[in-house]
Amino acid sequence: MALNMLFLPFRRTHSTTLSSAIKQYISTKYDQHPDMFTRDLETIDKLRVDAVNSLEAHTSGIRKLTAYAAQLVWIGGKFPIDIGVDFTWYPALGFNTQRPISQNNLRFELANVLYNLASLYSQLAVSLNRSTSEGQKSACNYFCLAAGVISHIKTEVIPELRTLPPEDMDTMTLESLQQLLLAQAQECFWSKAVKDGLKDGLIAKLAAKVSDLYDQAAEFGTKSDAISTDWIHHMTAKHHHFAGAAQYRASRECLEKQNYGEEVARLRDSLVCVNEALKEARWINKPVLGDLNGLKSRVSEDLKRAEKDNDVIYLIPVPPKSELKTLGRAGMATARIPTEVSDPALTLGDRGVFGQPLFASLLQSLNLPGSLQALEKPLGLPLTLTSHADELRQQDGLHRLRRSMHEISKLRASDVSLYQEGVDHLRSEAAEDERAKLKYGTDRWSRPSSQQAAEKLYAQVTELDGYLKSAQSSDELVKGKLKECEAVIQVLSGSLRDLEEYVPSSRRAAVTPEVEKAAEKLRSALNEVSRLEIRRKRLIEALREKAKADDINSAILVETGRLEREFPMQKIEPAQFENLFEERLQCYESDRAMVSEEQAEQKGVTSRLKEANTAFTAARVGDTSTKKREQALQRLENGYIKYKEIVSNLNTGRKFYNDLASIANRFQDDAKNFAYQRRVEAGQLESDLSNSLSNLSLSSPTTTTTLQSQKQRESSRPRYSAPAPAEEPLAAPTPTRAPVAPPSVAVTPTSAVWNPEMGIKFGAPPTSNASGNAGGSGAPRNLRYPDANANPPMGVQGGKWDGTRGLRFG
């Protein structure tokens, strides 16, 4: 199946029996018979078989690989790394994948197992359905875990290999793989952001970071002999692809902000980047090529539209690429090392997920110093035991542990309270938002949901909950340790009388010369171990102080200045400082020689101690007179060691809860502020909705319908009481002059007041006419024009009215 992302292939190996080499080593180096560890020997072989056969992309393989890796780390601290087994593995990358590599090295085995764990994580990420937001999130998580495992191999495992690493595990190859996995994790986050419809500015920053990571992966890949050219072409194409995608998203943000000239410039640069990526078309697969062609089509269409709009409408100058502001970066992918890999000791033990560590009983195999103390001092208390008891009494022993646990419980309760308060704020706000949605409907109440608006806060809820649960599990583990040794610590914290009653006195055994000689030799060896331990602590402190005081920064600056003066045109590379580093490291040659001497002396002391203990045990065969006393003394010694371990655990727990308090407090404040802002926003939105609803009630549908029907009735009502004839429209009336005066209407005469029915008359008041009408009859009069032969009335000359004479009525 063609994919647009790469995954790491598995490394293959041959069947190897690790138990036989361990069995041989125990039989030659320890005084215990290997048959005592038959079950552990069978378990280690089964773990390897399960781990090396987990070559499918299934989550069940994670536990198999991490369980075997944890036991390898544990065994590496008890046995030499060259234990006597040739581990054979085939490279997964490069040109020699069919040529096996064999090394007698436990670290080499661990490196290959962890590499397969990283491969499994990457294949799980690629196999997921990334068309959904949840699939993208899970794929991003798996890629980050794979990058974390590769980083752990590079920084922790390979430096302790003591031999040259395989070709596909050199620094350049591992660095390239780590950057590739981080780039693909960042790409998943970018894809999720696009799917969720985030702002174009943020998506541009995410894409720019993807481009940077692919560029770094390709750069390291070119310096590696194991990364294939196809992978390098893929990384290069992806680098240019996401550089173009970043500029495209930035252009959309410019369009939104009406920066039309910059929009055109970024679209042009985006098209250049896409064309650069398409130069790798011969070596990339179809999904990647399809993504590139799709982006080119969108960029070309937008560029054509933007250039046309700017040339015709906006006329804004297009800045050159050198003047464009560099896009910001938003890095969301980080290498995360699984706890099972970074701290495998936490996964082993009574409460560990992978059970008890194998061959652990070898740590107490010598049963010292209890056996020697019981013989040398059959009565009373040994000096070392009384010194341990004095230390615990001064520190208030058991009460100190209980007080520390109580303080840690209070710190935990405070952290939980802060966390719960923040969660309550979020839940209350989410409930209020849901009630508002039910009240107004999703169409009107259209703001984002609480989970969408505060995605980081809700992610913190899950993260903090995981921290608290993990811390609670650790607290329970410490409580279990205290419960197991509480009685012994109580005795050590008590008085000398309590100690004497706890340690039974034995009869003084008849010590033969052989036993006395063996005991003296064993005591001498134990004293030598104590002196070596005290001296080792002093040397370690001295070396720490020396390293802290050794500041090389000033020497590097001086050397840099010299190189710039002597070679001004040459680029400064780290390799040019090799001579300086070698010169400065010479001051540690004496310390390195001292460490070698200490190592050789420790080996000799340990060997002499084992020989002395073997001789002592053989000399006392059949003597059971001090057995109970020996056991009691050894229980007290182990209780003291357990007490120191619990104190260390409690100090770690106190620091953890103090650090968590600041995180929980910040989370509570952020949740409170978020809830307050959302309530203010909801109040404003509710006010706007209420105003719109009140306006809607003033012009409700019923009132509007009533007004409309009333207007329709008024428009349809006739303007005259008599209906108009339907046959013909009425003709306009023609004005005519009446030959006869209309009949008189009796009206009350008014002087100096004109009535429209009186008409208009020029000249003096008329006299009686032929028809017998009197001038003051008040009958309506028509305008009369005199005959030509008659004398013109007053104000009329030559048949024309003189306007200067005015009008006279009545």
Side-chain angles (χ1 to χ4, degrees):
M1 179 176 63
L3 300 170
N4 63 349
M5 289 187 178
L6 302 176
F7 62 86
L8 306 185
F10 286 115
R11 300 172 74 90
R12 296 177 295 108
T13 183
H14 293 312
S15 176
T16 301
T17 303
L18 182 58
S19 60
S20 59
I22 297 177
K23 187 175 181 180
Q24 179 67 24
Y25 187 85
I26 292 174
S27 63
T28 57
K29 300 297 182 179
Y30 289 92
D31 297 327
Q32 293 169 289
H33 198 278
D35 291 344
M36 296 174 60
F37 307 100
T38 301
R39 185 174 179 180
D40 290 348
L41 293 169
E42 293 175 352
T43 302
I44 193 65
D45 282 340
K46 184 177 184 302
L47 286 174
R48 187 178 195 277
V49 171
D50 292 342
V52 300
N53 291 324
S54 298
L55 302 179
E56 295 181 359
H58 195 275
T59 53
S60 62
I62 298 175
R63 181 181 177 87
K64 297 176 182 178
L65 288 165
T66 51
Y68 181 50
Q71 294 292 355
L72 280 176
V73 174
W74 169 259
I75 291 172
K78 290 184 60 61
F79 300 101
I81 62 173
D82 52 345
I83 194 171
V85 181
D86 288 329
F87 299 102
T88 303
W89 288 88
Y90 289 86
L93 301 172
F95 303 98
N96 300 315
T97 56
Q98 302 301 320
R99 184 182 301 172
I101 301 174
S102 296
Q103 288 191 18
N104 175 20
N105 195 323
L106 284 173
R107 285 285 170 177
F108 176 70
E109 173 84 347
L110 178 62
N112 284 276
V113 171
L114 291 179
Y115 179 90
N116 272 3
L117 178 62
S119 301
L120 177 59
Y121 279 133
S122 69
Q123 294 188 29
L124 286 172
V126 170
S127 65
L128 290 173
N129 179 17
R130 300 195 305 278
S131 61
T132 63
S133 295
E134 197 62 33
Q136 294 284 3
K137 186 177 179 181
S138 299
C140 178
N141 180 51
Y142 279 134
F143 277 131
C144 289
L145 290 172
V149 175
I150 293 294
S151 174
H152 182 77
I153 296 173
K154 179 184 66 178
T155 58
E156 300 295 334
V157 182
I158 296 299
E160 297 182 5
L161 201 58
R162 302 184 188 176
T163 59
L164 288 176
E167 185 181 65
D168 57 345
M169 281 192 183
D170 64 342
T171 303
M172 290 298 131
T173 302
L174 294 178
E175 192 68 45
S176 177
L177 296 179
Q178 181 180 345
Q179 297 302 319
L180 170 64
L181 294 167
L182 288 176
Q184 296 185 156
Q186 180 81 7
E187 183 177 349
C188 291
F189 204 95
W190 168 85
S191 180
K192 185 177 184 298
V194 173
K195 189 177 292 295
D196 293 344
L198 299 185
K199 293 183 178 180
D200 288 314
L202 177 59
I203 296 176
K205 293 178 181 179
L206 293 171
K209 186 61 178 179
V210 177
S211 176
D212 291 346
L213 291 170
Y214 273 120
D215 184 35
Q216 294 172 15
E219 183 178 353
F220 285 113
T222 55
K223 300 176 183 178
S224 167
D225 295 331
I227 302 297
S228 66
T229 55
D230 290 342
W231 278 30
I232 295 175
H233 286 301
H234 173 91
M235 299 170 192
T236 305
K238 285 279 192 174
H239 159 58
H240 292 300
H241 176 192
F242 279 95
Q247 292 289 11
Y248 172 67
R249 287 288 177 170
S251 72
R252 294 181 59 170
E253 186 182 29
C254 293
L255 175 61
E256 184 180 350
K257 295 181 179 179
Q258 299 180 358
N259 298 331
Y260 303 110
E262 184 179 349
E263 178 199 7
V264 174
R266 293 198 180 277
L267 285 172
R268 288 174 179 172
D269 188 49
S270 176
L271 189 60
V272 170
C273 293
V274 174
N275 288 331
E276 283 293 324
L278 287 173
K279 292 179 181 179
E280 312 289 339
R282 293 174 53 192
W283 298 279
I284 58 179
N285 56 29
K286 291 183 179 179
V288 178
L289 186 59
D291 293 342
L292 282 171
N293 287 326
L295 177 61
K296 182 178 181 180
S297 176
R298 291 194 300 271
V299 172
S300 299
E301 292 175 2
D302 282 10
L303 178 60
K304 183 178 180 181
R305 185 264 311 155
E307 287 180 335
K308 181 179 179 182
D309 291 348
N310 193 50
D311 293 343
V312 176
I313 302 173
Y314 308 116
L315 304 176
I316 297 177
V318 179
K321 181 181 178 181
S322 58
E323 296 181 6
L324 291 177
K325 183 179 178 181
T326 304
L327 295 177
R329 266 61 175 169
M332 304 304 296
T334 56
R336 293 192 295 106
I337 306 175
T339 306
E340 297 87 345
V341 175
S342 62
D343 197 357
L346 295 177
T347 63
L348 301 175
D350 294 335
R351 299 179 183 273
V353 294
F354 299 144
Q356 292 288 347
L358 302 179
F359 312 104
S361 58
L362 285 173
L363 295 176
Q364 294 84 28
S365 60
L366 300 181
N367 197 28
L368 291 173
S371 59
L372 188 60
Q373 290 173 345
L375 178 68
E376 291 179 338
K377 197 173 180 63
L379 299 175
L381 299 174
L383 182 61
T384 55
L385 180 59
T386 55
S387 65
H388 292 338
D390 290 340
E391 180 182 348
L392 263 69
R393 278 194 294 270
Q394 290 174 3
Q395 296 179 359
D396 204 11
L398 189 61
H399 295 292
R400 175 192 177 184
L401 297 181
R402 289 173 177 168
R403 282 198 307 271
S404 297
M405 285 190 172
H406 181 66
E407 292 172 1
I408 289 175
S409 298
K410 290 173 63 177
L411 288 174
R412 172 181 170 77
S414 175
D415 292 350
V416 171
S417 176
L418 290 172
Y419 164 75
Q420 194 60 48
E421 188 175 348
V423 172
D424 291 341
H425 282 306
L426 294 179
R427 288 177 179 171
S428 175
E429 190 281 324
E432 292 172 3
D433 189 63
E434 287 298 322
R435 285 196 296 270
K437 283 184 180 179
L438 293 175
K439 180 178 179 181
Y440 295 102
T442 55
D443 292 339
R444 292 190 181 93
W445 198 265
S446 57
R447 68 172 184 169
S449 65
S450 302
Q451 288 81 359
Q452 294 173 342
E455 187 175 355
K456 290 185 178 180
L457 279 176
Y458 278 90
Q460 272 189 297
V461 171
T462 305
E463 186 178 0
L464 287 174
D465 183 59
Y467 288 157
L468 290 171
K469 288 181 179 178
S470 176
Q472 185 177 11
S473 176
S474 299
D475 293 345
E476 294 297 329
L477 181 61
V478 175
K479 288 179 182 178
K481 289 181 181 179
L482 179 59
K483 188 175 181 180
E484 291 174 0
C485 61
E486 184 173 5
V488 177
I489 296 177
Q490 179 71 45
V491 173
L492 285 170
S493 303
S495 62
L496 287 177
R497 183 181 180 86
D498 296 332
L499 274 176
E500 291 172 350
E501 291 178 354
Y502 184 81
V503 179
S505 297
S506 60
R507 63 178 176 83
R508 182 171 295 276
V511 180
T512 63
E514 184 181 357
V515 173
E516 185 175 0
K517 183 179 179 180
E520 290 177 357
K521 187 177 180 181
L522 182 57
R523 171 54 63 188
S524 175
L526 279 174
N527 292 336
E528 196 174 358
V529 170
S530 299
R531 286 193 299 270
L532 180 64
E533 184 179 3
I534 294 172
R535 188 176 66 197
R536 181 75 53 81
K537 289 180 180 179
R538 292 174 180 173
L539 290 175
I540 290 174
E541 290 300 323
L543 278 174
R544 285 176 178 170
E545 292 298 326
K546 183 177 180 180
K548 187 183 296 184
D550 185 17
D551 186 7
I552 198 174
N553 290 330
S554 58
I556 291 178
L557 292 176
V558 172
E559 182 68 12
T560 303
R562 185 187 68 82
L563 292 173
E564 289 178 346
R565 289 192 305 271
E566 296 181 3
F567 310 100
M569 303 303 294
Q570 185 177 355
K571 182 181 178 181
I572 296 179
E573 298 288 344
Q576 295 172 304
F577 296 89
E578 289 295 334
N579 294 333
L580 172 64
F581 295 153
E582 291 178 1
E583 180 181 347
R584 292 300 295 261
L585 287 174
Q586 290 297 323
C587 65
Y588 292 97
E589 285 299 322
S590 59
D591 299 313
R592 294 180 62 184
M594 179 194 65
V595 170
S596 300
E597 293 174 1
E598 285 284 320
Q599 186 176 5
E601 185 176 357
Q602 177 181 331
K603 187 178 294 186
V605 169
T606 305
S607 176
R608 289 193 294 272
L609 177 64
K610 291 179 180 179
E611 291 175 359
N613 185 67
T614 303
F616 177 74
T617 304
R620 296 185 61 228
V621 172
D623 184 10
T624 59
S625 59
T626 61
K627 192 67 175 177
K628 291 183 179 180
R629 181 176 174 84
E630 177 183 326
Q631 292 174 351
L633 291 173
Q634 191 62 41
R635 283 196 301 270
L636 291 172
E637 182 70 21
N638 293 339
Y640 172 76
I641 296 173
K642 191 66 90 173
Y643 167 80
K644 302 293 284 185
E645 180 182 345
I646 293 174
V647 169
S648 175
N649 291 338
L650 291 175
N651 290 335
T652 302
R654 184 182 292 106
K655 182 179 183 302
F656 168 80
Y657 282 117
N658 284 329
D659 294 341
L660 186 63
S662 60
I663 299 174
N665 192 30
R666 187 166 57 251
F667 164 73
Q668 185 258 352
D669 291 340
D670 291 345
K672 185 177 181 180
N673 293 334
F674 169 74
Y676 173 75
Q677 292 173 0
R678 290 275 287 183
R679 288 192 181 99
V680 172
E681 180 185 337
Q684 184 64 38
L685 182 57
E686 192 168 3
S687 176
D688 295 342
L689 290 175
S690 299
N691 292 336
S692 63
L693 290 175
S694 62
N695 294 334
L696 186 62
S697 63
L698 290 176
S699 58
S700 61
T702 305
T703 307
T704 305
T705 305
T706 304
L707 293 174
Q708 290 178 351
S709 61
Q710 183 177 353
K711 289 181 180 180
Q712 290 177 358
R713 286 197 301 271
E714 289 179 355
S715 62
S716 61
R717 182 181 299 166
R719 304 183 64 180
Y720 304 97
S721 59
E727 293 82 1
E728 295 179 359
L730 289 176
T734 304
T736 57
R737 189 185 301 273
V740 181
S744 61
V745 180
V747 296
T748 305
T750 59
S751 62
V753 177
W754 177 76
N755 192 320
E757 296 182 358
M758 294 168 57
I760 300 175
K761 184 182 74 169
F762 301 96
T767 58
S768 301
N769 53 20
S771 59
N773 291 332
S777 63
R781 307 177 188 274
N782 294 322
L783 183 62
R784 300 182 61 184
Y785 295 95
D787 295 338
N789 297 327
N791 293 326
M794 188 170 154
V796 178
Q797 298 179 359
K800 296 182 179 180
W801 173 67
D802 185 4
T804 61
R805 303 299 298 272
L807 297 176
R808 297 187 63 184
F809 300 95

PDB file of all heavy atoms in Angstrom, residues 753-764:
ATOM      1  N   VAL A 753     -67.177  91.840   1.409  1.00  0.00           N
ATOM      2  CA  VAL A 753     -66.703  90.457   1.507  1.00  0.00           C
ATOM      3  C   VAL A 753     -67.026  89.789   0.200  1.00  0.00           C
ATOM      4  O   VAL A 753     -68.185  89.736  -0.213  1.00  0.00           O
ATOM      5  CB  VAL A 753     -67.374  89.706   2.673  1.00  0.00           C
ATOM      6  CG1 VAL A 753     -66.905  88.277   2.691  1.00  0.00           C
ATOM      7  CG2 VAL A 753     -67.048  90.382   3.993  1.00  0.00           C
ATOM      8  N   TRP A 754     -65.979  89.272  -0.451  1.00  0.00           N
ATOM      9  CA  TRP A 754     -66.188  88.651  -1.777  1.00  0.00           C
ATOM     10  C   TRP A 754     -66.529  87.212  -1.602  1.00  0.00           C
ATOM     11  O   TRP A 754     -65.948  86.495  -0.786  1.00  0.00           O
ATOM     12  CB  TRP A 754     -64.917  88.822  -2.598  1.00  0.00           C
ATOM     13  CG  TRP A 754     -65.014  88.142  -3.955  1.00  0.00           C
ATOM     14  CD1 TRP A 754     -65.686  88.558  -5.026  1.00  0.00           C
ATOM     15  CD2 TRP A 754     -64.366  86.932  -4.297  1.00  0.00           C
ATOM     16  NE1 TRP A 754     -65.544  87.715  -6.070  1.00  0.00           N
ATOM     17  CE2 TRP A 754     -64.708  86.655  -5.640  1.00  0.00           C
ATOM     18  CE3 TRP A 754     -63.533  86.043  -3.617  1.00  0.00           C
ATOM     19  CZ2 TRP A 754     -64.257  85.544  -6.320  1.00  0.00           C
ATOM     20  CZ3 TRP A 754     -63.090  84.946  -4.326  1.00  0.00           C
ATOM     21  CH2 TRP A 754     -63.462  84.689  -5.664  1.00  0.00           C
ATOM     22  N   ASN A 755     -67.497  86.790  -2.413  1.00  0.00           N
ATOM     23  CA  ASN A 755     -67.928  85.404  -2.446  1.00  0.00           C
ATOM     24  C   ASN A 755     -67.581  84.847  -3.795  1.00  0.00           C
ATOM     25  O   ASN A 755     -67.826  85.495  -4.817  1.00  0.00           O
ATOM     26  CB  ASN A 755     -69.440  85.318  -2.203  1.00  0.00           C
ATOM     27  CG  ASN A 755     -69.879  83.883  -1.945  1.00  0.00           C
ATOM     28  OD1 ASN A 755     -69.392  82.971  -2.580  1.00  0.00           O
ATOM     29  ND2 ASN A 755     -70.798  83.720  -1.016  1.00  0.00           N
ATOM     30  N   PRO A 756     -66.995  83.666  -3.885  1.00  0.00           N
ATOM     31  CA  PRO A 756     -66.622  83.132  -5.213  1.00  0.00           C
ATOM     32  C   PRO A 756     -67.793  83.059  -6.164  1.00  0.00           C
ATOM     33  O   PRO A 756     -67.608  83.119  -7.380  1.00  0.00           O
ATOM     34  CB  PRO A 756     -66.066  81.735  -4.871  1.00  0.00           C
ATOM     35  CG  PRO A 756     -65.596  81.830  -3.477  1.00  0.00           C
ATOM     36  CD  PRO A 756     -66.549  82.788  -2.799  1.00  0.00           C
ATOM     37  N   GLU A 757     -69.004  82.917  -5.666  1.00  0.00           N
ATOM     38  CA  GLU A 757     -70.163  82.833  -6.569  1.00  0.00           C
ATOM     39  C   GLU A 757     -70.573  84.185  -7.122  1.00  0.00           C
ATOM     40  O   GLU A 757     -71.447  84.285  -7.994  1.00  0.00           O
ATOM     41  CB  GLU A 757     -71.331  82.204  -5.818  1.00  0.00           C
ATOM     42  CG  GLU A 757     -71.042  80.762  -5.395  1.00  0.00           C
ATOM     43  CD  GLU A 757     -72.260  80.162  -4.696  1.00  0.00           C
ATOM     44  OE1 GLU A 757     -73.235  80.901  -4.552  1.00  0.00           O
ATOM     45  OE2 GLU A 757     -72.181  78.971  -4.315  1.00  0.00           O
ATOM     46  N   MET A 758     -69.933  85.267  -6.617  1.00  0.00           N
ATOM     47  CA  MET A 758     -70.278  86.600  -7.096  1.00  0.00           C
ATOM     48  C   MET A 758     -69.625  86.924  -8.418  1.00  0.00           C
ATOM     49  O   MET A 758     -70.018  87.846  -9.124  1.00  0.00           O
ATOM     50  CB  MET A 758     -69.847  87.644  -6.058  1.00  0.00           C
ATOM     51  CG  MET A 758     -70.607  87.554  -4.738  1.00  0.00           C
ATOM     52  SD  MET A 758     -69.866  88.545  -3.445  1.00  0.00           S
ATOM     53  CE  MET A 758     -69.888  90.153  -4.272  1.00  0.00           C
ATOM     54  N   GLY A 759     -68.602  86.196  -8.794  1.00  0.00           N
ATOM     55  CA  GLY A 759     -67.915  86.477 -10.041  1.00  0.00           C
ATOM     56  C   GLY A 759     -67.011  87.657  -9.909  1.00  0.00           C
ATOM     57  O   GLY A 759     -66.812  88.226  -8.833  1.00  0.00           O
ATOM     58  N   ILE A 760     -66.448  88.106 -11.022  1.00  0.00           N
ATOM     59  CA  ILE A 760     -65.509  89.222 -11.039  1.00  0.00           C
ATOM     60  C   ILE A 760     -66.081  90.296 -11.953  1.00  0.00           C
ATOM     61  O   ILE A 760     -66.489  90.007 -13.074  1.00  0.00           O
ATOM     62  CB  ILE A 760     -64.133  88.785 -11.532  1.00  0.00           C
ATOM     63  CG1 ILE A 760     -63.559  87.680 -10.589  1.00  0.00           C
ATOM     64  CG2 ILE A 760     -63.160  89.943 -11.610  1.00  0.00           C
ATOM     65  CD1 ILE A 760     -62.269  87.104 -11.058  1.00  0.00           C
ATOM     66  N   LYS A 761     -66.080  91.528 -11.508  1.00  0.00           N
ATOM     67  CA  LYS A 761     -66.634  92.643 -12.299  1.00  0.00           C
ATOM     68  C   LYS A 761     -65.640  93.782 -12.264  1.00  0.00           C
ATOM     69  O   LYS A 761     -65.095  94.098 -11.222  1.00  0.00           O
ATOM     70  CB  LYS A 761     -67.975  93.109 -11.718  1.00  0.00           C
ATOM     71  CG  LYS A 761     -68.640  94.189 -12.527  1.00  0.00           C
ATOM     72  CD  LYS A 761     -69.928  94.648 -11.893  1.00  0.00           C
ATOM     73  CE  LYS A 761     -69.580  95.502 -10.686  1.00  0.00           C
ATOM     74  NZ  LYS A 761     -70.807  96.197 -10.169  1.00  0.00           N
ATOM     75  N   PHE A 762     -65.474  94.375 -13.421  1.00  0.00           N
ATOM     76  CA  PHE A 762     -64.606  95.537 -13.562  1.00  0.00           C
ATOM     77  C   PHE A 762     -65.458  96.810 -13.600  1.00  0.00           C
ATOM     78  O   PHE A 762     -66.523  96.829 -14.219  1.00  0.00           O
ATOM     79  CB  PHE A 762     -63.759  95.437 -14.829  1.00  0.00           C
ATOM     80  CG  PHE A 762     -62.871  94.204 -14.857  1.00  0.00           C
ATOM     81  CD1 PHE A 762     -63.271  93.058 -15.500  1.00  0.00           C
ATOM     82  CD2 PHE A 762     -61.642  94.245 -14.226  1.00  0.00           C
ATOM     83  CE1 PHE A 762     -62.462  91.951 -15.520  1.00  0.00           C
ATOM     84  CE2 PHE A 762     -60.849  93.137 -14.265  1.00  0.00           C
ATOM     85  CZ  PHE A 762     -61.252  91.991 -14.904  1.00  0.00           C
ATOM     86  N   GLY A 763     -64.985  97.881 -13.095  1.00  0.00           N
ATOM     87  CA  GLY A 763     -65.699  99.175 -13.213  1.00  0.00           C
ATOM     88  C   GLY A 763     -66.623  99.464 -12.058  1.00  0.00           C
ATOM     89  O   GLY A 763     -66.601  98.814 -11.014  1.00  0.00           O
ATOM     90  N   ALA A 764     -67.530 100.417 -12.285  1.00  0.00           N
ATOM     91  CA  ALA A 764     -68.442 100.882 -11.234  1.00  0.00           C
ATOM     92  C   ALA A 764     -69.581  99.919 -11.052  1.00  0.00           C
ATOM     93  O   ALA A 764     -69.830  99.056 -11.882  1.00  0.00           O
ATOM     94  CB  ALA A 764     -68.981 102.267 -11.605  1.00  0.00           C
TER      95      ALA A 764
END
